[in-house]
Amino acid sequence: MADNTETHQLPPLELEQHQVREALRCLLHTILFNRALGPVRPVEVEAELLDLSYVRVHDEEVVAAVELSMNELCGQLERSAGRGAEAQVRLAFYEKRQGSSTWFGGQANCFWEQWFINLAVMSHEAMLLRASTMPGTTLAEGGQPPVSSRVTEVLSCITRALSERREHCPPVVSSAAVSYPWEVSVTHPREGRGAFSLGGMKRMLMQTTPPRMLS
């Protein structure tokens, strides 16, 4: 990967396991929608679990690819249920270039931007204990720290980065494309406190076809 890849490390997001899937949908689709160029059809999604709404691209292939990445992560989290785990999801954008870095001089994926979503998955009891030790923390109904405020904080970091840094985005050269090629990779979760590590990185490469141009 090139050294000049624009990298965004998002702040750690503490969640309970049942909140992970919806939170990831919100964050991934927010980034993808803002990297979709052209006359795309937006879809507003009400995330009731998070008590917020977000906008995604109206495209079945994009939705399916996001769901696939979540299935990979959530499947691993289920194996460490109740013990706490840390995981990282990487969303990266690239362009294909002709070069000598691949066999037979074929095309290479040149990454120009990557986002790291850092998750700390905790039990409900651990979440309450952490909230009780943090001054100024407000608990939602039923004694649960509001997940909406935690996700909104990360969303704010995303929107700020999207608005501040644009010069690194390559031009879109195809009139049929409304977004750049992208891929998602998931780091296998680590159980909390260093008790056990699943270790390794399993890349889930999804060289998705960009969303179709809608007339």
Side-chain angles (χ1 to χ4, degrees):
M1 182 173 294
D3 293 336
N4 60 349
T5 302
E6 185 78 12
T7 299
H8 302 281
Q9 280 281 358
L10 299 176
L13 179 59
E14 296 179 346
L15 298 168
E16 294 183 40
Q17 184 168 329
H18 72 279
Q19 300 167 337
V20 171
R21 190 176 294 271
E22 194 63 50
L24 272 182
R25 284 194 188 104
C26 175
L27 300 178
L28 290 173
H29 279 301
T30 296
I31 298 171
L32 289 169
F33 178 77
N34 282 276
R35 286 292 174 252
L37 305 179
V40 297
R41 177 182 171 187
V43 176
E44 185 174 2
V45 180
E46 293 289 339
E48 296 183 1
L49 183 62
L50 307 180
D51 192 26
L52 53 80
S53 61
Y54 61 92
V55 179
R56 65 168 175 82
V57 174
H58 181 71
D59 186 272
E60 293 181 359
E61 292 179 355
V62 172
V63 172
V66 170
E67 292 298 314
L68 186 61
S69 69
M70 291 187 298
N71 290 340
E72 168 74 12
L73 174 60
C74 291
Q76 294 293 332
L77 291 175
E78 289 175 359
R79 301 178 186 179
S80 59
R83 296 190 294 272
E86 295 178 356
Q88 187 177 75
V89 178
R90 172 178 171 266
L91 170 60
F93 296 90
Y94 62 92
E95 59 179 339
K96 287 187 173 294
R97 293 179 182 174
Q98 198 74 22
S100 58
S101 59
T102 58
W103 290 355
F104 311 111
Q107 288 187 327
N109 294 344
C110 297
F111 293 89
W112 52 270
E113 183 177 79
Q114 58 182 349
W115 300 77
F116 290 98
I117 301 173
N118 301 290
L119 304 176
V121 185
M122 306 170 66
S123 67
H124 179 69
E125 293 74 16
M127 193 76 76
L128 292 177
L129 178 60
R130 181 172 179 81
S132 66
T133 60
M134 297 178 65
T137 301
T138 302
L139 299 182
E141 183 178 355
Q144 182 181 15
V147 62
S148 59
S149 62
R150 302 194 299 275
V151 176
T152 299
E153 179 184 354
V154 179
L155 281 174
S156 297
C157 294
I158 292 174
T159 55
R160 185 165 55 250
L162 287 167
S163 63
E164 291 177 351
R165 302 299 301 272
R166 299 178 181 178
E167 65 278 1
H168 63 285
C169 299
V172 177
V173 297
S174 173
S175 61
V178 295
S179 74
Y180 304 96
W182 55 279
E183 69 175 39
V184 175
S185 57
V186 178
T187 303
H188 287 266
R190 286 195 313 276
E191 293 187 3
R193 301 181 181 179
F196 176 73
S197 174
L198 292 175
M201 170 79 80
K202 180 180 180 181
R203 293 176 60 86
M204 183 178 59
L205 180 62
M206 295 178 295
Q207 297 184 4
T208 61
T209 302
R212 298 174 294 277
M213 183 73 72
L214 301 176
S215 58

